[in-house]
Amino acid sequence: MSTGITETLFNAQTMMDTYAETTIAFGHDAIDQLSAHIMLNGYSTVMLVTGGESVKLCGAFRVFLQSPLFGKLELNMPRFENVPPEPDTACVRAIVRELEQEQPDAVIAVGGGSVMDAAKAALLSWQTGIDIDGLFGKEVASSRFPKRDVKRILAVPTTAGTGSEVTCYSNIIDEKTGVKKLIADPAILPLFAAVEPVFTVSAPENLTRVTAFDALVHAIESLLNFNGCRQHPEVEKWAVQAIRMIVPALPKVLNMPENEEERAELSAAATLAGMSIRMSPTALPHLLSFSFCGKAPHGAAVAALLPHFWKFYLKEEQVQRQTMLLSGIFPGSTPEEVIKSYIKFIESCGGTVHPGVLTETGTEMIDKLAEDAAQNPVKLESAPRKIRPDECGPVFHDVLDDVWSK
Ligand SMILES: [Fe+2]
């Protein structure tokens, strides 16, 4: 083990090194490694896709420009700026037009989950010629072009939460209906992820809180969805490791935002949680969170929804066993006590587990959640306790009515 690195971080990096889907460079030399990747592949035009002001504040460009290797690259670097927080189909089409014009050899997405998701969707749409509306669903492009070797984005996350830098998912809002929709396709797995935790240091307090909640819920949901866990022998280890890192680190970072060591723990955990959901996807809490779009931050919504569906899942014995894997992190001698400890943790970090408090609406919103959820059968299928689309209304009311607003 090299000096100056904690045991948890060392273990996390060892796990990242085994991830075959995306090459992950983690830490202070991540941008140098990205530059080396660009050099080795002989790219000459690299398009940057970024968000707004936050990308300047986080220092990513400064690090890019100061990287000795990056300075040697004589790159043509067109830029698509100002991807909004919840990108829609119109935003994706605008990026596609830019790609058509610039014909880049590669695309680097620098930003949070929204930026990476928009860049992933646009790059796939441009290469396949399929409009974004036709890409939603599971493996639509891959099944139409099974042998096609598509370009995949190079990702530089500037928040510690989404894990989009290592997943095959992209969430985009349908501009016509306002509904958030999912693309799940290996063709959008990033090729390279440069994870430099320093970029997250400037994140404001609430963004830090809700992105960490998102990563925590990714890890817990992937662990509970035991059928998904069977897809890869290491998923449980990645997920538990991520949770083990987030629980002590988040309160410290909220107390001292400039704490780089603990920021590194959160960044590594978010990437591990992303690896976990790549193999064992999220289900009901994430599915319902789609309808909170514009009302509450995604991470706050999933953190509030999770404990109630976790209790619902407990009717499956395997979920009870998976839950007890966390009893050393969320103390408890029964699965119910473990969930209670999770709730205590969320509240101690300034979150809520009452979804109605976040939306300031009554339980009538639950009908809308059921209506939207029925349109995303993929996520209903990945839940460890199955429900049919027509059961969403009664089940969601049963699970949420009593805890909606307290
Ligand atoms: Fe999420």
Side-chain angles (χ1 to χ4, degrees):
M1 191 191 311
S2 63
T3 52
I5 180 171
T6 63
E7 192 181 339
T8 47
L9 209 48
F10 178 79
N11 290 339
Q13 285 186 249
T14 305
M15 291 173 181
M16 289 179 207
D17 290 343
T18 66
Y19 190 63
E21 315 278 300
T22 300
T23 302
I24 305 169
F26 182 89
H28 291 317
D29 67 346
I31 296 300
D32 282 342
Q33 290 193 51
L34 174 64
S35 308
H37 172 89
I38 292 170
M39 194 181 275
L40 283 171
N41 284 279
Y43 302 146
S44 59
T45 299
V46 175
M47 192 164 115
L48 283 181
V49 178
T50 71
E53 279 301 300
S54 61
V55 73
K56 290 171 197 143
L57 282 178
C58 79
F61 287 130
R62 200 177 53 249
V63 174
F64 266 99
L65 297 174
Q66 287 173 352
S67 157
L69 272 176
F70 208 79
K72 283 185 193 153
L73 299 171
E74 288 183 8
L75 290 176
N76 174 28
M77 287 184 75
R79 198 163 144 194
F80 185 97
E81 294 177 294
N82 298 324
V83 173
E86 299 279 0
D88 65 6
T89 43
C91 170
V92 172
R93 289 191 191 101
I95 302 174
V96 171
R97 285 195 292 277
E98 195 84 2
L99 289 164
E100 278 165 357
Q101 196 179 318
E102 301 292 346
Q103 301 283 318
D105 303 308
V107 170
I108 307 180
V110 187
S114 302
V115 171
M116 291 186 275
D117 283 8
K120 285 168 160 179
L123 187 54
L124 186 64
S125 175
W126 172 50
Q127 292 177 95
T128 57
I130 304 174
D131 179 75
I132 176 71
D133 275 342
L135 289 174
F136 292 118
K138 198 175 174 189
E139 300 180 13
V140 174
S142 288
S143 55
R144 268 180 70 180
F145 302 104
K147 292 201 175 118
R148 193 169 171 137
D149 188 17
V150 292
K151 288 179 186 148
R152 291 146 54 197
I153 68 159
L154 316 177
V156 182
T158 58
T159 58
T162 165
S164 185
E165 67 275 13
V166 289
T167 71
C168 58
Y169 310 119
S170 167
N171 290 296
I172 303 293
I173 294 176
D174 181 340
E175 64 176 319
K176 291 196 290 284
T177 60
V179 174
K180 205 184 219 187
K181 289 184 170 174
L182 176 71
I183 302 171
D185 198 313
I188 57 170
L189 265 162
L191 179 65
F192 193 102
V195 185
E196 162 55 288
V198 165
F199 295 162
T200 69
V201 172
S202 63
E205 181 182 329
N206 200 43
L207 183 64
T208 300
R209 176 186 296 110
V210 298
T211 48
F213 283 174
D214 187 24
L216 178 65
V217 177
H218 287 164
I220 296 174
E221 281 207 68
S222 71
L223 190 67
L224 300 180
N225 296 345
F226 54 86
N227 281 321
C229 285
R230 291 179 188 136
Q231 287 182 42
H232 191 286
E234 300 297 310
V235 171
E236 288 179 2
K237 283 188 194 153
W238 298 342
V240 172
Q241 176 75 17
I243 299 161
R244 190 174 281 140
M245 294 170 89
I246 293 167
V247 170
L250 179 57
K252 291 180 197 162
V253 170
L254 291 174
N255 255 330
M256 195 195 282
E258 67 280 13
N259 186 330
E260 284 187 25
E261 284 82 26
E262 300 300 332
R263 289 274 186 185
E265 300 276 321
L266 291 182
S267 283
T271 301
L272 287 181
M275 289 160 49
S276 307
I277 58 168
R278 152 65 179 137
M279 299 299 171
S280 178
T282 57
L284 297 179
H286 262 75
L287 173 55
L288 272 73
S289 78
F290 286 3
S291 310
F292 285 66
C293 183
K295 295 186 177 69
H298 168 72
V302 290
L305 290 161
L306 173 68
H308 317 301
F309 285 96
W310 195 346
K311 284 181 197 161
F312 169 72
Y313 291 161
L314 281 184
K315 289 169 190 136
E316 302 290 329
E317 271 180 36
Q318 181 67 31
V319 173
Q320 295 177 25
R321 285 194 285 276
Q322 301 292 97
T323 300
M324 292 314 288
L325 294 175
L326 299 180
S327 62
I329 306 170
F330 297 121
S333 51
T334 63
E336 290 79 5
E337 285 178 13
V338 170
I339 298 174
K340 252 189 205 162
S341 292
Y342 161 86
I343 292 172
K344 227 167 137 186
F345 172 75
I346 293 296
E347 291 178 337
S348 73
C349 292
T352 177
V353 293
H354 303 296
V357 170
L358 290 173
T359 59
E360 295 179 354
T361 61
T363 50
E364 68 276 4
M365 187 183 159
I366 297 174
D367 295 319
K368 161 101 172 97
L369 300 184
E371 211 178 286
D372 291 351
Q375 292 181 41
N376 275 292
V378 175
K379 285 230 166 285
L380 287 177
E381 283 156 22
S382 56
R385 187 166 176 81
K386 300 269 176 294
I387 53 173
R388 295 189 313 266
D390 63 297
E391 292 174 320
C392 287
V395 170
F396 293 178
H397 274 289
D398 204 33
V399 170
L400 293 174
D401 273 354
D402 289 347
V403 294
W404 186 252
S405 298
K406 278 201 172 163

mmCIF file of all heavy atoms in Angstrom, residues 191-232:
data_model
loop_
_atom_site.group_PDB
_atom_site.id
_atom_site.type_symbol
_atom_site.label_atom_id
_atom_site.label_comp_id
_atom_site.label_asym_id
_atom_site.label_seq_id
_atom_site.Cartn_x
_atom_site.Cartn_y
_atom_site.Cartn_z
ATOM 1 N N LEU A 191 -16.004 4.807 -21.622
ATOM 2 C CA LEU A 191 -14.793 4.045 -21.919
ATOM 3 C C LEU A 191 -13.751 4.281 -20.830
ATOM 4 O O LEU A 191 -13.016 3.376 -20.440
ATOM 5 C CB LEU A 191 -14.246 4.512 -23.278
ATOM 6 C CG LEU A 191 -12.966 3.866 -23.783
ATOM 7 C CD1 LEU A 191 -13.183 2.377 -24.052
ATOM 8 C CD2 LEU A 191 -12.492 4.556 -25.064
ATOM 9 N N PHE A 192 -13.689 5.522 -20.351
ATOM 10 C CA PHE A 192 -12.647 5.920 -19.395
ATOM 11 C C PHE A 192 -13.272 6.862 -18.375
ATOM 12 O O PHE A 192 -14.030 7.761 -18.739
ATOM 13 C CB PHE A 192 -11.527 6.646 -20.164
ATOM 14 C CG PHE A 192 -10.259 6.838 -19.386
ATOM 15 C CD1 PHE A 192 -9.163 6.013 -19.596
ATOM 16 C CD2 PHE A 192 -10.156 7.853 -18.433
ATOM 17 C CE1 PHE A 192 -7.983 6.187 -18.873
ATOM 18 C CE2 PHE A 192 -8.983 8.031 -17.708
ATOM 19 C CZ PHE A 192 -7.890 7.199 -17.925
ATOM 20 N N ALA A 193 -12.981 6.655 -17.105
ATOM 21 C CA ALA A 193 -13.466 7.563 -16.057
ATOM 22 C C ALA A 193 -12.262 8.125 -15.303
ATOM 23 O O ALA A 193 -11.462 7.360 -14.759
ATOM 24 C CB ALA A 193 -14.388 6.823 -15.090
ATOM 25 N N ALA A 194 -12.114 9.442 -15.322
ATOM 26 C CA ALA A 194 -11.037 10.097 -14.560
ATOM 27 C C ALA A 194 -11.688 10.703 -13.316
ATOM 28 O O ALA A 194 -12.383 11.719 -13.406
ATOM 29 C CB ALA A 194 -10.376 11.178 -15.408
ATOM 30 N N VAL A 195 -11.501 10.052 -12.176
ATOM 31 C CA VAL A 195 -12.181 10.471 -10.941
ATOM 32 C C VAL A 195 -11.175 11.201 -10.052
ATOM 33 O O VAL A 195 -10.305 10.581 -9.434
ATOM 34 C CB VAL A 195 -12.778 9.254 -10.191
ATOM 35 C CG1 VAL A 195 -13.584 9.724 -8.981
ATOM 36 C CG2 VAL A 195 -13.641 8.405 -11.118
ATOM 37 N N GLU A 196 -11.255 12.522 -10.034
ATOM 38 C CA GLU A 196 -10.351 13.361 -9.236
ATOM 39 C C GLU A 196 -11.193 13.986 -8.119
ATOM 40 O O GLU A 196 -11.971 14.923 -8.355
ATOM 41 C CB GLU A 196 -9.701 14.406 -10.155
ATOM 42 C CG GLU A 196 -9.077 15.604 -9.489
ATOM 43 C CD GLU A 196 -8.028 15.273 -8.434
ATOM 44 O OE1 GLU A 196 -8.441 14.789 -7.352
ATOM 45 O OE2 GLU A 196 -6.841 15.535 -8.678
ATOM 46 N N PRO A 197 -11.083 13.465 -6.874
ATOM 47 C CA PRO A 197 -11.963 13.937 -5.794
ATOM 48 C C PRO A 197 -11.868 15.433 -5.511
ATOM 49 O O PRO A 197 -12.837 16.030 -5.041
ATOM 50 C CB PRO A 197 -11.485 13.125 -4.582
ATOM 51 C CG PRO A 197 -10.817 11.929 -5.145
ATOM 52 C CD PRO A 197 -10.212 12.360 -6.444
ATOM 53 N N VAL A 198 -10.729 16.041 -5.813
ATOM 54 C CA VAL A 198 -10.570 17.481 -5.545
ATOM 55 C C VAL A 198 -11.655 18.297 -6.254
ATOM 56 O O VAL A 198 -12.082 19.345 -5.771
ATOM 57 C CB VAL A 198 -9.150 17.947 -5.967
ATOM 58 C CG1 VAL A 198 -9.055 19.456 -6.046
ATOM 59 C CG2 VAL A 198 -8.124 17.413 -4.987
ATOM 60 N N PHE A 199 -12.135 17.795 -7.398
ATOM 61 C CA PHE A 199 -13.168 18.533 -8.150
ATOM 62 C C PHE A 199 -14.468 18.661 -7.358
ATOM 63 O O PHE A 199 -15.311 19.493 -7.686
ATOM 64 C CB PHE A 199 -13.474 17.847 -9.486
ATOM 65 C CG PHE A 199 -12.323 17.830 -10.455
ATOM 66 C CD1 PHE A 199 -12.313 16.941 -11.519
ATOM 67 C CD2 PHE A 199 -11.252 18.696 -10.318
ATOM 68 C CE1 PHE A 199 -11.256 16.917 -12.420
ATOM 69 C CE2 PHE A 199 -10.187 18.678 -11.211
ATOM 70 C CZ PHE A 199 -10.191 17.779 -12.269
ATOM 71 N N THR A 200 -14.647 17.822 -6.342
ATOM 72 C CA THR A 200 -15.911 17.864 -5.589
ATOM 73 C C THR A 200 -15.850 18.829 -4.398
ATOM 74 O O THR A 200 -16.869 19.099 -3.766
ATOM 75 C CB THR A 200 -16.291 16.464 -5.044
ATOM 76 O OG1 THR A 200 -15.352 16.081 -4.013
ATOM 77 C CG2 THR A 200 -16.293 15.408 -6.130
ATOM 78 N N VAL A 201 -14.662 19.335 -4.095
ATOM 79 C CA VAL A 201 -14.493 20.131 -2.871
ATOM 80 C C VAL A 201 -15.339 21.406 -2.875
ATOM 81 O O VAL A 201 -15.840 21.840 -1.843
ATOM 82 C CB VAL A 201 -12.995 20.445 -2.612
ATOM 83 C CG1 VAL A 201 -12.815 21.421 -1.455
ATOM 84 C CG2 VAL A 201 -12.232 19.154 -2.322
ATOM 85 N N SER A 202 -15.538 21.994 -4.058
ATOM 86 C CA SER A 202 -16.292 23.261 -4.108
ATOM 87 C C SER A 202 -17.812 23.039 -4.115
ATOM 88 O O SER A 202 -18.577 24.001 -4.150
ATOM 89 C CB SER A 202 -15.890 24.064 -5.347
ATOM 90 O OG SER A 202 -16.247 23.326 -6.507
ATOM 91 N N ALA A 203 -18.253 21.790 -4.083
ATOM 92 C CA ALA A 203 -19.703 21.535 -4.121
ATOM 93 C C ALA A 203 -20.371 22.128 -2.886
ATOM 94 O O ALA A 203 -19.897 21.948 -1.763
ATOM 95 C CB ALA A 203 -19.968 20.035 -4.189
ATOM 96 N N PRO A 204 -21.498 22.847 -3.062
ATOM 97 C CA PRO A 204 -22.206 23.411 -1.909
ATOM 98 C C PRO A 204 -22.732 22.314 -0.985
ATOM 99 O O PRO A 204 -22.848 21.146 -1.391
ATOM 100 C CB PRO A 204 -23.368 24.170 -2.535
ATOM 101 C CG PRO A 204 -23.123 24.204 -3.993
ATOM 102 C CD PRO A 204 -22.147 23.137 -4.332
ATOM 103 N N GLU A 205 -23.069 22.713 0.243
ATOM 104 C CA GLU A 205 -23.434 21.723 1.274
ATOM 105 C C GLU A 205 -24.580 20.809 0.837
ATOM 106 O O GLU A 205 -24.492 19.585 0.969
ATOM 107 C CB GLU A 205 -23.822 22.450 2.568
ATOM 108 C CG GLU A 205 -24.178 21.464 3.673
ATOM 109 C CD GLU A 205 -24.610 22.149 4.960
ATOM 110 O OE1 GLU A 205 -24.123 23.258 5.249
ATOM 111 O OE2 GLU A 205 -25.428 21.554 5.683
ATOM 112 N N ASN A 206 -25.649 21.393 0.316
ATOM 113 C CA ASN A 206 -26.793 20.508 0.010
ATOM 114 C C ASN A 206 -26.497 19.582 -1.157
ATOM 115 O O ASN A 206 -26.940 18.435 -1.171
ATOM 116 C CB ASN A 206 -28.075 21.312 -0.239
ATOM 117 C CG ASN A 206 -29.297 20.423 -0.051
ATOM 118 O OD1 ASN A 206 -29.350 19.636 0.901
ATOM 119 N ND2 ASN A 206 -30.225 20.472 -0.970
ATOM 120 N N LEU A 207 -25.710 20.071 -2.126
ATOM 121 C CA LEU A 207 -25.338 19.197 -3.251
ATOM 122 C C LEU A 207 -24.485 18.031 -2.740
ATOM 123 O O LEU A 207 -24.672 16.880 -3.136
ATOM 124 C CB LEU A 207 -24.576 20.002 -4.309
ATOM 125 C CG LEU A 207 -24.190 19.236 -5.573
ATOM 126 C CD1 LEU A 207 -25.429 18.770 -6.343
ATOM 127 C CD2 LEU A 207 -23.301 20.077 -6.486
ATOM 128 N N THR A 208 -23.564 18.346 -1.818
ATOM 129 C CA THR A 208 -22.732 17.289 -1.228
ATOM 130 C C THR A 208 -23.612 16.266 -0.518
ATOM 131 O O THR A 208 -23.432 15.053 -0.672
ATOM 132 C CB THR A 208 -21.745 17.913 -0.211
ATOM 133 O OG1 THR A 208 -20.917 18.851 -0.902
ATOM 134 C CG2 THR A 208 -20.897 16.853 0.456
ATOM 135 N N ARG A 209 -24.586 16.767 0.243
ATOM 136 C CA ARG A 209 -25.465 15.871 1.017
ATOM 137 C C ARG A 209 -26.280 14.972 0.087
ATOM 138 O O ARG A 209 -26.264 13.750 0.214
ATOM 139 C CB ARG A 209 -26.410 16.720 1.882
ATOM 140 C CG ARG A 209 -27.436 15.891 2.664
ATOM 141 C CD ARG A 209 -28.437 16.776 3.386
ATOM 142 N NE ARG A 209 -27.799 17.599 4.394
ATOM 143 C CZ ARG A 209 -27.637 18.922 4.329
ATOM 144 N NH1 ARG A 209 -28.130 19.602 3.308
ATOM 145 N NH2 ARG A 209 -27.033 19.583 5.287
ATOM 146 N N VAL A 210 -26.962 15.585 -0.882
ATOM 147 C CA VAL A 210 -27.899 14.783 -1.682
ATOM 148 C C VAL A 210 -27.174 13.872 -2.678
ATOM 149 O O VAL A 210 -27.681 12.788 -2.999
ATOM 150 C CB VAL A 210 -28.966 15.657 -2.395
ATOM 151 C CG1 VAL A 210 -29.814 16.387 -1.372
ATOM 152 C CG2 VAL A 210 -28.358 16.626 -3.388
ATOM 153 N N THR A 211 -26.000 14.279 -3.140
ATOM 154 C CA THR A 211 -25.269 13.372 -4.044
ATOM 155 C C THR A 211 -24.739 12.175 -3.262
ATOM 156 O O THR A 211 -24.754 11.046 -3.761
ATOM 157 C CB THR A 211 -24.131 14.101 -4.803
ATOM 158 O OG1 THR A 211 -23.357 14.861 -3.874
ATOM 159 C CG2 THR A 211 -24.670 15.018 -5.880
ATOM 160 N N ALA A 212 -24.289 12.422 -2.020
ATOM 161 C CA ALA A 212 -23.827 11.291 -1.187
ATOM 162 C C ALA A 212 -25.001 10.363 -0.855
ATOM 163 O O ALA A 212 -24.854 9.131 -0.850
ATOM 164 C CB ALA A 212 -23.171 11.808 0.092
ATOM 165 N N PHE A 213 -26.165 10.944 -0.581
ATOM 166 C CA PHE A 213 -27.365 10.113 -0.345
ATOM 167 C C PHE A 213 -27.639 9.242 -1.581
ATOM 168 O O PHE A 213 -27.974 8.063 -1.463
ATOM 169 C CB PHE A 213 -28.604 10.984 -0.084
ATOM 170 C CG PHE A 213 -28.695 11.598 1.292
ATOM 171 C CD1 PHE A 213 -29.718 12.499 1.596
ATOM 172 C CD2 PHE A 213 -27.792 11.271 2.294
ATOM 173 C CE1 PHE A 213 -29.836 13.066 2.860
ATOM 174 C CE2 PHE A 213 -27.892 11.843 3.566
ATOM 175 C CZ PHE A 213 -28.920 12.743 3.844
ATOM 176 N N ASP A 214 -27.509 9.841 -2.750
ATOM 177 C CA ASP A 214 -27.773 9.092 -3.990
ATOM 178 C C ASP A 214 -26.838 7.876 -4.070
ATOM 179 O O ASP A 214 -27.280 6.749 -4.320
ATOM 180 C CB ASP A 214 -27.572 10.029 -5.196
ATOM 181 C CG ASP A 214 -27.988 9.404 -6.511
ATOM 182 O OD1 ASP A 214 -28.826 8.474 -6.502
ATOM 183 O OD2 ASP A 214 -27.489 9.849 -7.570
ATOM 184 N N ALA A 215 -25.549 8.129 -3.833
ATOM 185 C CA ALA A 215 -24.575 7.018 -3.892
ATOM 186 C C ALA A 215 -24.906 5.950 -2.844
ATOM 187 O O ALA A 215 -24.840 4.742 -3.120
ATOM 188 C CB ALA A 215 -23.162 7.565 -3.671
ATOM 189 N N LEU A 216 -25.271 6.407 -1.643
ATOM 190 C CA LEU A 216 -25.610 5.457 -0.565
ATOM 191 C C LEU A 216 -26.797 4.585 -0.978
ATOM 192 O O LEU A 216 -26.778 3.352 -0.804
ATOM 193 C CB LEU A 216 -25.945 6.257 0.707
ATOM 194 C CG LEU A 216 -26.370 5.447 1.932
ATOM 195 C CD1 LEU A 216 -25.226 4.564 2.422
ATOM 196 C CD2 LEU A 216 -26.829 6.382 3.062
ATOM 197 N N VAL A 217 -27.809 5.207 -1.555
ATOM 198 C CA VAL A 217 -29.013 4.449 -1.950
ATOM 199 C C VAL A 217 -28.703 3.528 -3.132
ATOM 200 O O VAL A 217 -29.208 2.405 -3.201
ATOM 201 C CB VAL A 217 -30.198 5.399 -2.229
ATOM 202 C CG1 VAL A 217 -31.418 4.619 -2.698
ATOM 203 C CG2 VAL A 217 -30.539 6.195 -0.977
ATOM 204 N N HIS A 218 -27.838 3.981 -4.054
ATOM 205 C CA HIS A 218 -27.413 3.067 -5.129
ATOM 206 C C HIS A 218 -26.851 1.786 -4.515
ATOM 207 O O HIS A 218 -27.218 0.676 -4.913
ATOM 208 C CB HIS A 218 -26.307 3.699 -5.976
ATOM 209 C CG HIS A 218 -26.779 4.802 -6.873
ATOM 210 N ND1 HIS A 218 -25.931 5.689 -7.467
ATOM 211 C CD2 HIS A 218 -28.031 5.153 -7.276
ATOM 212 C CE1 HIS A 218 -26.623 6.544 -8.205
ATOM 213 N NE2 HIS A 218 -27.901 6.241 -8.091
ATOM 214 N N ALA A 219 -25.932 1.964 -3.569
ATOM 215 C CA ALA A 219 -25.254 0.787 -2.993
ATOM 216 C C ALA A 219 -26.255 -0.103 -2.259
ATOM 217 O O ALA A 219 -26.233 -1.335 -2.412
ATOM 218 C CB ALA A 219 -24.132 1.253 -2.060
ATOM 219 N N ILE A 220 -27.149 0.514 -1.478
ATOM 220 C CA ILE A 220 -28.106 -0.308 -0.708
ATOM 221 C C ILE A 220 -29.090 -0.999 -1.656
ATOM 222 O O ILE A 220 -29.345 -2.208 -1.521
ATOM 223 C CB ILE A 220 -28.860 0.554 0.340
ATOM 224 C CG1 ILE A 220 -27.880 1.105 1.376
ATOM 225 C CG2 ILE A 220 -29.942 -0.288 1.034
ATOM 226 C CD1 ILE A 220 -28.498 2.093 2.371
ATOM 227 N N GLU A 221 -29.616 -0.264 -2.620
ATOM 228 C CA GLU A 221 -30.575 -0.901 -3.545
ATOM 229 C C GLU A 221 -29.922 -2.053 -4.312
ATOM 230 O O GLU A 221 -30.542 -3.104 -4.512
ATOM 231 C CB GLU A 221 -31.132 0.132 -4.536
ATOM 232 C CG GLU A 221 -32.220 1.010 -3.967
ATOM 233 C CD GLU A 221 -33.157 1.515 -5.067
ATOM 234 O OE1 GLU A 221 -33.879 0.705 -5.647
ATOM 235 O OE2 GLU A 221 -33.133 2.733 -5.331
ATOM 236 N N SER A 222 -28.686 -1.863 -4.739
ATOM 237 C CA SER A 222 -28.048 -2.946 -5.509
ATOM 238 C C SER A 222 -27.855 -4.175 -4.629
ATOM 239 O O SER A 222 -27.994 -5.305 -5.086
ATOM 240 C CB SER A 222 -26.721 -2.490 -6.115
ATOM 241 O OG SER A 222 -25.761 -2.345 -5.121
ATOM 242 N N LEU A 223 -27.570 -3.935 -3.351
ATOM 243 C CA LEU A 223 -27.386 -5.053 -2.413
ATOM 244 C C LEU A 223 -28.705 -5.795 -2.157
ATOM 245 O O LEU A 223 -28.740 -7.023 -2.057
ATOM 246 C CB LEU A 223 -26.848 -4.489 -1.096
ATOM 247 C CG LEU A 223 -26.366 -5.477 -0.041
ATOM 248 C CD1 LEU A 223 -25.112 -6.191 -0.532
ATOM 249 C CD2 LEU A 223 -26.075 -4.759 1.262
ATOM 250 N N LEU A 224 -29.798 -5.042 -2.068
ATOM 251 C CA LEU A 224 -31.100 -5.665 -1.784
ATOM 252 C C LEU A 224 -31.653 -6.419 -2.990
ATOM 253 O O LEU A 224 -32.362 -7.414 -2.833
ATOM 254 C CB LEU A 224 -32.114 -4.595 -1.354
ATOM 255 C CG LEU A 224 -31.758 -3.788 -0.095
ATOM 256 C CD1 LEU A 224 -32.852 -2.773 0.203
ATOM 257 C CD2 LEU A 224 -31.541 -4.698 1.104
ATOM 258 N N ASN A 225 -31.313 -5.933 -4.194
ATOM 259 C CA ASN A 225 -31.852 -6.568 -5.407
ATOM 260 C C ASN A 225 -31.031 -7.820 -5.705
ATOM 261 O O ASN A 225 -30.202 -7.844 -6.605
ATOM 262 C CB ASN A 225 -31.846 -5.571 -6.561
ATOM 263 C CG ASN A 225 -32.779 -4.407 -6.282
ATOM 264 O OD1 ASN A 225 -33.619 -4.479 -5.379
ATOM 265 N ND2 ASN A 225 -32.632 -3.324 -7.013
ATOM 266 N N PHE A 226 -31.296 -8.861 -4.911
ATOM 267 C CA PHE A 226 -30.392 -10.021 -4.868
ATOM 268 C C PHE A 226 -30.294 -10.748 -6.208
ATOM 269 O O PHE A 226 -29.272 -11.352 -6.499
ATOM 270 C CB PHE A 226 -30.780 -10.984 -3.744
ATOM 271 C CG PHE A 226 -32.219 -11.445 -3.785
ATOM 272 C CD1 PHE A 226 -32.593 -12.532 -4.549
ATOM 273 C CD2 PHE A 226 -33.190 -10.782 -3.042
ATOM 274 C CE1 PHE A 226 -33.910 -12.959 -4.577
ATOM 275 C CE2 PHE A 226 -34.515 -11.199 -3.062
ATOM 276 C CZ PHE A 226 -34.885 -12.289 -3.834
ATOM 277 N N ASN A 227 -31.322 -10.658 -7.040
ATOM 278 C CA ASN A 227 -31.209 -11.317 -8.349
ATOM 279 C C ASN A 227 -30.103 -10.654 -9.171
ATOM 280 O O ASN A 227 -29.362 -11.319 -9.869
ATOM 281 C CB ASN A 227 -32.538 -11.256 -9.110
ATOM 282 C CG ASN A 227 -33.487 -12.308 -8.576
ATOM 283 O OD1 ASN A 227 -33.057 -13.424 -8.256
ATOM 284 N ND2 ASN A 227 -34.750 -11.966 -8.454
ATOM 285 N N GLY A 228 -30.012 -9.329 -9.071
ATOM 286 C CA GLY A 228 -28.955 -8.602 -9.763
ATOM 287 C C GLY A 228 -27.586 -8.968 -9.214
ATOM 288 O O GLY A 228 -26.618 -9.094 -9.964
ATOM 289 N N CYS A 229 -27.505 -9.143 -7.895
ATOM 290 C CA CYS A 229 -26.218 -9.471 -7.269
ATOM 291 C C CYS A 229 -25.624 -10.751 -7.853
ATOM 292 O O CYS A 229 -24.417 -10.934 -7.851
ATOM 293 C CB CYS A 229 -26.371 -9.640 -5.758
ATOM 294 S SG CYS A 229 -26.572 -8.079 -4.900
ATOM 295 N N ARG A 230 -26.505 -11.609 -8.356
ATOM 296 C CA ARG A 230 -26.000 -12.878 -8.903
ATOM 297 C C ARG A 230 -25.304 -12.683 -10.251
ATOM 298 O O ARG A 230 -24.662 -13.595 -10.745
ATOM 299 C CB ARG A 230 -27.151 -13.882 -9.041
ATOM 300 C CG ARG A 230 -27.672 -14.332 -7.680
ATOM 301 C CD ARG A 230 -28.833 -15.307 -7.815
ATOM 302 N NE ARG A 230 -29.401 -15.556 -6.492
ATOM 303 C CZ ARG A 230 -30.701 -15.582 -6.220
ATOM 304 N NH1 ARG A 230 -31.572 -15.392 -7.192
ATOM 305 N NH2 ARG A 230 -31.137 -15.819 -5.009
ATOM 306 N N GLN A 231 -25.441 -11.495 -10.820
ATOM 307 C CA GLN A 231 -24.830 -11.255 -12.142
ATOM 308 C C GLN A 231 -23.314 -11.095 -12.067
ATOM 309 O O GLN A 231 -22.624 -11.164 -13.079
ATOM 310 C CB GLN A 231 -25.407 -9.986 -12.768
ATOM 311 C CG GLN A 231 -26.814 -10.156 -13.260
ATOM 312 C CD GLN A 231 -27.305 -8.866 -13.910
ATOM 313 O OE1 GLN A 231 -26.581 -8.217 -14.647
ATOM 314 N NE2 GLN A 231 -28.523 -8.497 -13.597
ATOM 315 N N HIS A 232 -22.807 -10.773 -10.887
ATOM 316 C CA HIS A 232 -21.352 -10.575 -10.754
ATOM 317 C C HIS A 232 -20.961 -10.951 -9.327
ATOM 318 O O HIS A 232 -21.601 -10.492 -8.370
ATOM 319 C CB HIS A 232 -21.001 -9.114 -11.055
ATOM 320 C CG HIS A 232 -19.534 -8.879 -11.202
ATOM 321 N ND1 HIS A 232 -18.675 -8.860 -10.129
ATOM 322 C CD2 HIS A 232 -18.768 -8.681 -12.299
ATOM 323 C CE1 HIS A 232 -17.441 -8.632 -10.562
ATOM 324 N NE2 HIS A 232 -17.478 -8.524 -11.874
#
